[in-house]
Amino acid sequence: MKILVLGAGVIGVTTAYVLGRQGHEVVVIDKADAVASGASHGNAGQLAYSYVDPFPNPSILKKLPRYMSGRDSGIKIKPVMNTHYYRWGLLFLRNCTAARAKCNMDTMLGLARQSMEAMQRLSTELPGDMLSEIPRGKIILAKTQADMIKLEKPALEKQASGFDVETLSRDECISKEPALSTWQGDFCGGLFAKAEGTLDPLRLCRALENASKKQFSVAFKMGHTIKRLNVCDNKVTGVTTNHGSITCDKVIMCLGAEANALLKTIGKSCNIYPMRGYSLTLPAGPQAPKMSVTDPLNKFVFANFGDKVRIAGFLDANLSEDKIKMRGKMLLEIAKRLWPEAADYSAENHLWAGYRPMTPSGVPIVETSPVEGLYYNMGHGSLGLTLAAGSAERIAKLVWQSMQKSSIKRREKNHVLVP
Ligand SMILES: Cc1cc2nc3c(=O)[nH]c(=O)nc-3n(C[C@H](O)[C@H](O)[C@H](O)COP(=O)(O)OP(=O)(O)OC[C@H]3O[C@@H](n4cnc5c(N)ncnc54)[C@H](O)[C@@H]3O)c2cc1C
């Protein structure tokens, strides 16, 4: 079975690895020269299995005017005249009811649990100690008692789903992460998630690329821009790239925020909207955190990257690219004010910006498409690294199930009795 995986971000390379492990011949295609050149390159590196709360929920509704008028420092959604934006926005609003938010949260927790287990399996397979050495634990800060109450209810749901999370007082937060004693903002406590970790997404993607090339029949065609999906009689037959056509039996789309452009070539579309975020990677300061610390109020996280600290966050829609530097500067200034000793802010910082592939429900699209042989693994929003391993296993299962079905059909056609 020859399978094309389109896109070499964290979703694509993890999918290729798992399909390769299953014994398929896999070819990964990406327009970039190296793996993890899109949203997977400089993200916050959080394996945030219990912090998968979907963005649409009832409480977001009253915050939308702030986000859309540019008054919020962390989230800026600029209204534009564009049918995709309006369609996505209406679907987003539909997902802001309590019932849908609960249903989406349950779906996310299920995928997160599967991803945690699948990542543990990967950690035993990948060479080196990359996955066993990951810094553990994450604290999500609550500024006021009201914020604390907002964290408590979902914490109970997460505990009921088997996640090891607990609410902590301010002093308990500081005893878990002593560097928080130098935090300059207000906080009265937080939520502690013990099993969450930090993993450099670029290192993971490179390790998966190397392991899948070495151990399995997986090839990478980098520098290939996919121009078109080729479909005949509602069955996918391959793709056309700037270097010619490639045929196959199945195609897995892992194109992140750019999936729509290719789907248009076969008259289809998906509800994925690109929302930009930023990261700064700086040398660790004298009070660098050992674990991750998320500030939901300012919408960013401080993550331990060994001798470096990565500060990542913000969420912008429809802001032009010439605003990237300005947003990076804003992130730096807020971080410096809140946690002056966490990083060496005077050093040269590496500003990076990437586009999260956001769905209106917050739940990724991991499914078979209406076109035979075409599968979707995309729309992982702010959680692609966290959910990559579980999503890849789900796709591999769908591929396996379809092969089983075809083999049963073939046997029936040949009049062989099926037990
Ligand atoms: C600031 C920020 C912080 C984040 N922090 C976290 C975090 O801590 N934890 C977490 O789990 N997630 C985090 N995320 C989200 C995560 O980065 C994404 O969900 C994830 O990277 C999406 O992976 P992907 O493989 O779907 O997309 P991408 O990594 O964008 O990969 C898509 C690939 O498709 C290729 N491509 C697109 N179109 C074509 C074409 N026509 N031809 C050929 N190739 C094409 C691109 O070159 C790209 O390499 C963060 C995101 C941002 C922006």
Side-chain angles (χ1 to χ4, degrees), residues 17 20 45 74 92 105 128 146 148 162 205 212 238 249 263 291 295 392 396 412:
Y17 178 90
F92 177 86
M105 170 78 113
M148 198 70 208
C205 289
S212 53
D249 302 299
L263 280 176
M291 59 179 70
D295 176 4
E412 280 174 349

Side-chain angles (χ1 to χ4, degrees), residues 112-123:
R113 172 148 293 284
Q114 184 174 0
S115 298
M116 189 161 84
E117 286 159 9
M119 191 59 97
Q120 271 155 9
R121 182 170 173 196
L122 278 183
S123 72

Side-chain angles (χ1 to χ4, degrees), residues 6-12 29-32 36-47 224-227 254-258 262 275-279 312-314 352 354-357 377-387:
L6 312 187
V10 70
I11 301 299
I29 309 175
D30 200 295
K31 62 183 174 186
S37 295
S40 307
H41 187 83
N43 69 37
Q46 302 296 289
L47 294 170
H224 283 58
T225 301
I226 306 150
K227 301 281 188 195
C254 308
L255 295 174
E258 293 173 87
L262 201 65
M275 298 212 179
R276 198 166 65 213
Y278 312 83
S279 75
F314 288 0
W352 169 85
Y355 290 87
R356 301 176 182 89
N377 193 3
M378 53 201 198
H380 291 76
S382 300
L383 290 158
L385 178 68
T386 306
L387 303 176

